[in-house]
Amino acid sequence: MSKNYIIVFIFLITVPFFSQENEVKIDFTTQKFIGNESELNRAKYFAIHDSYTSWDLASDGEYLFKNLGIEYGRTFGGPAPFRKSKTELQSISEAEGRSKWSNANIKKSPLFKEFGTADFVITDHPRDAFQYSYKDYDKIAAYNVAFLKNAYPITPKYYEVMNEPFVHAKDYVKTWAETPAVIVEMSKVFKAVADKVHQEIPGMQVGGYASAYPEVEKDNFDYWNTRMKTFMDVAGESMQFFATHIYDGRNVQGDFTLRSGSNSEAILDLIEAYSYKKWKVVKPHLISEYGFTAQGLVGKPYSPKLNGTCLIAYNKILMQLLDKPDRLVKAIPFITAKATWFYNDKNPDGYPYPWVIKKKEKDGSYSFTHLKKFYELWKGISGKRTEVASNNPDIQIHSFIKKGKSFVAINNLTDEKKEVKVSFLNNSDKYIKNITLRRLYTTTTGLPRLVFYTNIKSLNTVNLKPGETIIAECDITDFDFKNSIKEQNFYTETYLQSIQKNKTLSFTFNELPAVTNGRTSLKMGIGRNHDLSKKPKITVNGNSIEVPNNWAGYDQASRKLFFGVIGIPFDVKYLKTGENIVNIAFPDDGGHLSSLILNVENKKN
């Protein structure tokens, strides 16, 4: 510990000569809005993949839900119309009876009275929610609504009709070639159920499809066309959000990959771009699971090292999702409660489910896993967003301020150490009285560590370990904001364009406000072979701009092709009020430009 203190004082209190290659800037005096959102919504970001309907964490309610401020996230507590029979639908009276039983049982939960909430997600396994041989979707919808009307003492806000349905499409047919037809029928169920729910349960939002492995670029974007695009075409009009699961690793199927960084940005941007193209509205995301997974993890002894890998993934993805409060309804790290269902005859050694917050010991008691550190790191973080900037997309930063406190979170997306200069604009650091630094990282042996350093007086540089997240909790003198900055995304009706050598792709962005002070960038999503160019010629209203060599996250060299977003900053003076035209031409053939989004931060004094 003493050695760690020496290191932190060298890097945080002294001001040695060093290269300014990596720099973050913070301005406490400028309130930042993303869309119309500034206040950090903890229910949106700091949930657990569990529900108050469960008894698993009843003895820990005070500590987890009050002290750490954990919110509820998701439960498999949907109507399950085919739970009893895979060929016949049960009667409406049966649904109503189950509904009353469910309601009464939930009220008995020790957590209900104090922690009951509408802000969580319910879903079902596809085998209980859909059968390919049963095509009367209006009857399914009627059954589901009869259950949902009274099944919960507090109506849940979010309903995913099925969890990860399309990876189960093969369960209903003999070959993968037949699965596109199954996907269409599953999508029809989503639509029928959503329409009925929205007619009769106005407080409940329905969405989907809860994509398990959104490898949308696979097979020349055929996975996009036959999955999320098909879902949006068939059911999207009735959806109030689009649900996606983002995992580093390999989830159910697909290739092993790191989605944190540019890859997940490209996936979500493509969904937003198509939403805008179809409806002139960007429907929000629900990230109902995110984290790390891989084949072969289930059924193995408890691994603190795996916990460490998961914690790094949670924070990488969270830091990205914190950039989207205006188009995100909820984001749930895949951290479960005790998963008592996992201790069964098929698990004779009593190994815990890999993602539990509490694991079972040999004597039958339960103890916390390292995954609790995610919530300990983010405990108490709240307030209004303030202006920040990073000159390296691998260094993520957010800042929030409330009465007497500010919180600055910085994350390293890479697997290399990064030295970062911290600059405070408008003399913001003069308001700092004291700093407590929280650091979450993995040791050289892979074990997760959460360390708190107190009584730090200044924050000039930080030396981030690979994948590390730090949060500087600052005691501050109270003051009022002097400026504001509003970040908005602007979209075009053009998306998923094939790239041909020297062929100009043109994108029109309309209804831009007057912008004279601030920052602006293009978010360019591309799917291309690794040997093809990532640096096209780009003009904004006739002005040439330079494409950087860096993007968020790793180089994707282990993937079959590069699919990611490259952020391209340019001078705000190139923008015009109203219509703006961006032209892009690549020097070689192949791949696609999947989406192009114009990001504008408009600052007002």
Side-chain angles (χ1 to χ4, degrees), residues 33-47:
F33 294 84
I34 300 179
N36 295 318
E37 301 280 338
S38 180
E39 191 82 28
L40 177 61
N41 181 345
R42 287 192 59 90
K44 184 177 286 191
Y45 286 107
F46 299 108

mmCIF file with all atom_site columns, all heavy atoms in Angstrom, residues 33-47:
data_model
loop_
_atom_site.group_PDB
_atom_site.id
_atom_site.type_symbol
_atom_site.label_atom_id
_atom_site.label_alt_id
_atom_site.label_comp_id
_atom_site.label_asym_id
_atom_site.label_entity_id
_atom_site.label_seq_id
_atom_site.pdbx_PDB_ins_code
_atom_site.Cartn_x
_atom_site.Cartn_y
_atom_site.Cartn_z
_atom_site.occupancy
_atom_site.B_iso_or_equiv
_atom_site.pdbx_formal_charge
_atom_site.auth_seq_id
_atom_site.auth_comp_id
_atom_site.auth_asym_id
_atom_site.auth_atom_id
_atom_site.pdbx_PDB_model_num
ATOM 1   N N   . PHE A 1 33 ? -25.367 19.859 -21.593 1.00 0.00 ? 33 PHE A N   1
ATOM 2   C CA  . PHE A 1 33 ? -26.588 19.128 -21.916 1.00 0.00 ? 33 PHE A CA  1
ATOM 3   C C   . PHE A 1 33 ? -26.291 18.215 -23.096 1.00 0.00 ? 33 PHE A C   1
ATOM 4   O O   . PHE A 1 33 ? -25.613 18.604 -24.045 1.00 0.00 ? 33 PHE A O   1
ATOM 5   C CB  . PHE A 1 33 ? -27.721 20.083 -22.292 1.00 0.00 ? 33 PHE A CB  1
ATOM 6   C CG  . PHE A 1 33 ? -28.186 20.970 -21.169 1.00 0.00 ? 33 PHE A CG  1
ATOM 7   C CD1 . PHE A 1 33 ? -27.521 22.160 -20.879 1.00 0.00 ? 33 PHE A CD1 1
ATOM 8   C CD2 . PHE A 1 33 ? -29.282 20.603 -20.398 1.00 0.00 ? 33 PHE A CD2 1
ATOM 9   C CE1 . PHE A 1 33 ? -27.935 22.968 -19.847 1.00 0.00 ? 33 PHE A CE1 1
ATOM 10  C CE2 . PHE A 1 33 ? -29.710 21.424 -19.357 1.00 0.00 ? 33 PHE A CE2 1
ATOM 11  C CZ  . PHE A 1 33 ? -29.036 22.604 -19.085 1.00 0.00 ? 33 PHE A CZ  1
ATOM 12  N N   . ILE A 1 34 ? -26.799 16.995 -23.036 1.00 0.00 ? 34 ILE A N   1
ATOM 13  C CA  . ILE A 1 34 ? -26.801 16.113 -24.205 1.00 0.00 ? 34 ILE A CA  1
ATOM 14  C C   . ILE A 1 34 ? -28.263 15.959 -24.588 1.00 0.00 ? 34 ILE A C   1
ATOM 15  O O   . ILE A 1 34 ? -29.040 15.363 -23.848 1.00 0.00 ? 34 ILE A O   1
ATOM 16  C CB  . ILE A 1 34 ? -26.141 14.761 -23.916 1.00 0.00 ? 34 ILE A CB  1
ATOM 17  C CG1 . ILE A 1 34 ? -24.688 14.967 -23.492 1.00 0.00 ? 34 ILE A CG1 1
ATOM 18  C CG2 . ILE A 1 34 ? -26.213 13.865 -25.147 1.00 0.00 ? 34 ILE A CG2 1
ATOM 19  C CD1 . ILE A 1 34 ? -23.935 13.697 -23.167 1.00 0.00 ? 34 ILE A CD1 1
ATOM 20  N N   . GLY A 1 35 ? -28.643 16.550 -25.723 1.00 0.00 ? 35 GLY A N   1
ATOM 21  C CA  . GLY A 1 35 ? -30.051 16.761 -25.975 1.00 0.00 ? 35 GLY A CA  1
ATOM 22  C C   . GLY A 1 35 ? -30.558 17.716 -24.904 1.00 0.00 ? 35 GLY A C   1
ATOM 23  O O   . GLY A 1 35 ? -29.996 18.793 -24.703 1.00 0.00 ? 35 GLY A O   1
ATOM 24  N N   . ASN A 1 36 ? -31.593 17.294 -24.183 1.00 0.00 ? 36 ASN A N   1
ATOM 25  C CA  . ASN A 1 36 ? -32.097 18.119 -23.075 1.00 0.00 ? 36 ASN A CA  1
ATOM 26  C C   . ASN A 1 36 ? -31.707 17.555 -21.716 1.00 0.00 ? 36 ASN A C   1
ATOM 27  O O   . ASN A 1 36 ? -32.217 17.998 -20.685 1.00 0.00 ? 36 ASN A O   1
ATOM 28  C CB  . ASN A 1 36 ? -33.624 18.230 -23.172 1.00 0.00 ? 36 ASN A CB  1
ATOM 29  C CG  . ASN A 1 36 ? -34.064 18.979 -24.417 1.00 0.00 ? 36 ASN A CG  1
ATOM 30  O OD1 . ASN A 1 36 ? -33.460 19.993 -24.778 1.00 0.00 ? 36 ASN A OD1 1
ATOM 31  N ND2 . ASN A 1 36 ? -35.094 18.487 -25.087 1.00 0.00 ? 36 ASN A ND2 1
ATOM 32  N N   . GLU A 1 37 ? -30.804 16.559 -21.708 1.00 0.00 ? 37 GLU A N   1
ATOM 33  C CA  . GLU A 1 37 ? -30.443 15.872 -20.467 1.00 0.00 ? 37 GLU A CA  1
ATOM 34  C C   . GLU A 1 37 ? -29.147 16.443 -19.891 1.00 0.00 ? 37 GLU A C   1
ATOM 35  O O   . GLU A 1 37 ? -28.144 16.557 -20.587 1.00 0.00 ? 37 GLU A O   1
ATOM 36  C CB  . GLU A 1 37 ? -30.247 14.372 -20.737 1.00 0.00 ? 37 GLU A CB  1
ATOM 37  C CG  . GLU A 1 37 ? -31.463 13.661 -21.312 1.00 0.00 ? 37 GLU A CG  1
ATOM 38  C CD  . GLU A 1 37 ? -32.475 13.302 -20.262 1.00 0.00 ? 37 GLU A CD  1
ATOM 39  O OE1 . GLU A 1 37 ? -32.088 13.220 -19.075 1.00 0.00 ? 37 GLU A OE1 1
ATOM 40  O OE2 . GLU A 1 37 ? -33.642 13.086 -20.617 1.00 0.00 ? 37 GLU A OE2 1
ATOM 41  N N   . SER A 1 38 ? -29.176 16.779 -18.604 1.00 0.00 ? 38 SER A N   1
ATOM 42  C CA  . SER A 1 38 ? -27.965 17.191 -17.911 1.00 0.00 ? 38 SER A CA  1
ATOM 43  C C   . SER A 1 38 ? -27.805 16.422 -16.597 1.00 0.00 ? 38 SER A C   1
ATOM 44  O O   . SER A 1 38 ? -26.711 15.990 -16.265 1.00 0.00 ? 38 SER A O   1
ATOM 45  C CB  . SER A 1 38 ? -27.981 18.696 -17.626 1.00 0.00 ? 38 SER A CB  1
ATOM 46  O OG  . SER A 1 38 ? -26.813 19.096 -16.959 1.00 0.00 ? 38 SER A OG  1
ATOM 47  N N   . GLU A 1 39 ? -28.874 16.251 -15.852 1.00 0.00 ? 39 GLU A N   1
ATOM 48  C CA  . GLU A 1 39 ? -28.828 15.553 -14.567 1.00 0.00 ? 39 GLU A CA  1
ATOM 49  C C   . GLU A 1 39 ? -28.588 14.055 -14.788 1.00 0.00 ? 39 GLU A C   1
ATOM 50  O O   . GLU A 1 39 ? -29.257 13.423 -15.602 1.00 0.00 ? 39 GLU A O   1
ATOM 51  C CB  . GLU A 1 39 ? -30.146 15.747 -13.812 1.00 0.00 ? 39 GLU A CB  1
ATOM 52  C CG  . GLU A 1 39 ? -30.122 15.283 -12.375 1.00 0.00 ? 39 GLU A CG  1
ATOM 53  C CD  . GLU A 1 39 ? -29.512 16.302 -11.419 1.00 0.00 ? 39 GLU A CD  1
ATOM 54  O OE1 . GLU A 1 39 ? -29.589 17.512 -11.715 1.00 0.00 ? 39 GLU A OE1 1
ATOM 55  O OE2 . GLU A 1 39 ? -28.963 15.876 -10.384 1.00 0.00 ? 39 GLU A OE2 1
ATOM 56  N N   . LEU A 1 40 ? -27.630 13.475 -14.066 1.00 0.00 ? 40 LEU A N   1
ATOM 57  C CA  . LEU A 1 40 ? -27.360 12.043 -14.165 1.00 0.00 ? 40 LEU A CA  1
ATOM 58  C C   . LEU A 1 40 ? -28.504 11.263 -13.538 1.00 0.00 ? 40 LEU A C   1
ATOM 59  O O   . LEU A 1 40 ? -28.835 11.461 -12.363 1.00 0.00 ? 40 LEU A O   1
ATOM 60  C CB  . LEU A 1 40 ? -26.045 11.701 -13.461 1.00 0.00 ? 40 LEU A CB  1
ATOM 61  C CG  . LEU A 1 40 ? -25.671 10.223 -13.422 1.00 0.00 ? 40 LEU A CG  1
ATOM 62  C CD1 . LEU A 1 40 ? -25.497 9.658  -14.822 1.00 0.00 ? 40 LEU A CD1 1
ATOM 63  C CD2 . LEU A 1 40 ? -24.390 10.018 -12.604 1.00 0.00 ? 40 LEU A CD2 1
ATOM 64  N N   . ASN A 1 41 ? -29.093 10.374 -14.305 1.00 0.00 ? 41 ASN A N   1
ATOM 65  C CA  . ASN A 1 41 ? -30.207 9.543  -13.850 1.00 0.00 ? 41 ASN A CA  1
ATOM 66  C C   . ASN A 1 41 ? -29.644 8.192  -13.413 1.00 0.00 ? 41 ASN A C   1
ATOM 67  O O   . ASN A 1 41 ? -29.324 7.334  -14.230 1.00 0.00 ? 41 ASN A O   1
ATOM 68  C CB  . ASN A 1 41 ? -31.214 9.370  -14.998 1.00 0.00 ? 41 ASN A CB  1
ATOM 69  C CG  . ASN A 1 41 ? -32.421 8.547  -14.597 1.00 0.00 ? 41 ASN A CG  1
ATOM 70  O OD1 . ASN A 1 41 ? -32.418 7.861  -13.577 1.00 0.00 ? 41 ASN A OD1 1
ATOM 71  N ND2 . ASN A 1 41 ? -33.468 8.609  -15.400 1.00 0.00 ? 41 ASN A ND2 1
ATOM 72  N N   . ARG A 1 42 ? -29.524 7.988  -12.107 1.00 0.00 ? 42 ARG A N   1
ATOM 73  C CA  . ARG A 1 42 ? -28.913 6.750  -11.616 1.00 0.00 ? 42 ARG A CA  1
ATOM 74  C C   . ARG A 1 42 ? -29.756 5.521  -11.937 1.00 0.00 ? 42 ARG A C   1
ATOM 75  O O   . ARG A 1 42 ? -29.215 4.434  -12.171 1.00 0.00 ? 42 ARG A O   1
ATOM 76  C CB  . ARG A 1 42 ? -28.668 6.843  -10.101 1.00 0.00 ? 42 ARG A CB  1
ATOM 77  C CG  . ARG A 1 42 ? -27.510 7.765  -9.732  1.00 0.00 ? 42 ARG A CG  1
ATOM 78  C CD  . ARG A 1 42 ? -27.114 7.586  -8.266  1.00 0.00 ? 42 ARG A CD  1
ATOM 79  N NE  . ARG A 1 42 ? -26.728 6.226  -7.963  1.00 0.00 ? 42 ARG A NE  1
ATOM 80  C CZ  . ARG A 1 42 ? -25.480 5.766  -8.067  1.00 0.00 ? 42 ARG A CZ  1
ATOM 81  N NH1 . ARG A 1 42 ? -24.506 6.546  -8.482  1.00 0.00 ? 42 ARG A NH1 1
ATOM 82  N NH2 . ARG A 1 42 ? -25.211 4.507  -7.757  1.00 0.00 ? 42 ARG A NH2 1
ATOM 83  N N   . ALA A 1 43 ? -31.075 5.660  -11.958 1.00 0.00 ? 43 ALA A N   1
ATOM 84  C CA  . ALA A 1 43 ? -31.920 4.515  -12.291 1.00 0.00 ? 43 ALA A CA  1
ATOM 85  C C   . ALA A 1 43 ? -31.661 4.030  -13.711 1.00 0.00 ? 43 ALA A C   1
ATOM 86  O O   . ALA A 1 43 ? -31.834 2.850  -14.025 1.00 0.00 ? 43 ALA A O   1
ATOM 87  C CB  . ALA A 1 43 ? -33.394 4.880  -12.117 1.00 0.00 ? 43 ALA A CB  1
ATOM 88  N N   . LYS A 1 44 ? -31.226 4.937  -14.558 1.00 0.00 ? 44 LYS A N   1
ATOM 89  C CA  . LYS A 1 44 ? -30.953 4.590  -15.950 1.00 0.00 ? 44 LYS A CA  1
ATOM 90  C C   . LYS A 1 44 ? -29.652 3.810  -16.096 1.00 0.00 ? 44 LYS A C   1
ATOM 91  O O   . LYS A 1 44 ? -29.523 2.964  -16.979 1.00 0.00 ? 44 LYS A O   1
ATOM 92  C CB  . LYS A 1 44 ? -30.891 5.876  -16.785 1.00 0.00 ? 44 LYS A CB  1
ATOM 93  C CG  . LYS A 1 44 ? -30.697 5.675  -18.272 1.00 0.00 ? 44 LYS A CG  1
ATOM 94  C CD  . LYS A 1 44 ? -30.716 7.001  -19.026 1.00 0.00 ? 44 LYS A CD  1
ATOM 95  C CE  . LYS A 1 44 ? -32.112 7.572  -19.127 1.00 0.00 ? 44 LYS A CE  1
ATOM 96  N NZ  . LYS A 1 44 ? -32.187 8.714  -20.075 1.00 0.00 ? 44 LYS A NZ  1
ATOM 97  N N   . TYR A 1 45 ? -28.679 4.073  -15.208 1.00 0.00 ? 45 TYR A N   1
ATOM 98  C CA  . TYR A 1 45 ? -27.331 3.561  -15.430 1.00 0.00 ? 45 TYR A CA  1
ATOM 99  C C   . TYR A 1 45 ? -26.793 2.590  -14.380 1.00 0.00 ? 45 TYR A C   1
ATOM 100 O O   . TYR A 1 45 ? -25.829 1.885  -14.655 1.00 0.00 ? 45 TYR A O   1
ATOM 101 C CB  . TYR A 1 45 ? -26.351 4.731  -15.540 1.00 0.00 ? 45 TYR A CB  1
ATOM 102 C CG  . TYR A 1 45 ? -26.448 5.488  -16.837 1.00 0.00 ? 45 TYR A CG  1
ATOM 103 C CD1 . TYR A 1 45 ? -27.021 6.756  -16.888 1.00 0.00 ? 45 TYR A CD1 1
ATOM 104 C CD2 . TYR A 1 45 ? -25.973 4.943  -18.025 1.00 0.00 ? 45 TYR A CD2 1
ATOM 105 C CE1 . TYR A 1 45 ? -27.103 7.467  -18.085 1.00 0.00 ? 45 TYR A CE1 1
ATOM 106 C CE2 . TYR A 1 45 ? -26.052 5.632  -19.219 1.00 0.00 ? 45 TYR A CE2 1
ATOM 107 C CZ  . TYR A 1 45 ? -26.618 6.896  -19.244 1.00 0.00 ? 45 TYR A CZ  1
ATOM 108 O OH  . TYR A 1 45 ? -26.707 7.584  -20.431 1.00 0.00 ? 45 TYR A OH  1
ATOM 109 N N   . PHE A 1 46 ? -27.360 2.559  -13.193 1.00 0.00 ? 46 PHE A N   1
ATOM 110 C CA  . PHE A 1 46 ? -26.719 1.790  -12.127 1.00 0.00 ? 46 PHE A CA  1
ATOM 111 C C   . PHE A 1 46 ? -27.665 0.740  -11.544 1.00 0.00 ? 46 PHE A C   1
ATOM 112 O O   . PHE A 1 46 ? -27.916 0.685  -10.345 1.00 0.00 ? 46 PHE A O   1
ATOM 113 C CB  . PHE A 1 46 ? -26.180 2.736  -11.052 1.00 0.00 ? 46 PHE A CB  1
ATOM 114 C CG  . PHE A 1 46 ? -25.147 3.684  -11.596 1.00 0.00 ? 46 PHE A CG  1
ATOM 115 C CD1 . PHE A 1 46 ? -25.440 5.030  -11.764 1.00 0.00 ? 46 PHE A CD1 1
ATOM 116 C CD2 . PHE A 1 46 ? -23.916 3.212  -11.996 1.00 0.00 ? 46 PHE A CD2 1
ATOM 117 C CE1 . PHE A 1 46 ? -24.502 5.893  -12.294 1.00 0.00 ? 46 PHE A CE1 1
ATOM 118 C CE2 . PHE A 1 46 ? -22.970 4.065  -12.531 1.00 0.00 ? 46 PHE A CE2 1
ATOM 119 C CZ  . PHE A 1 46 ? -23.257 5.412  -12.689 1.00 0.00 ? 46 PHE A CZ  1
ATOM 120 N N   . ALA A 1 47 ? -28.168 -0.098 -12.446 1.00 0.00 ? 47 ALA A N   1
ATOM 121 C CA  . ALA A 1 47 ? -29.090 -1.164 -12.060 1.00 0.00 ? 47 ALA A CA  1
ATOM 122 C C   . ALA A 1 47 ? -28.345 -2.489 -11.920 1.00 0.00 ? 47 ALA A C   1
ATOM 123 O O   . ALA A 1 47 ? -27.203 -2.642 -12.341 1.00 0.00 ? 47 ALA A O   1
ATOM 124 C CB  . ALA A 1 47 ? -30.208 -1.284 -13.098 1.00 0.00 ? 47 ALA A CB  1
#
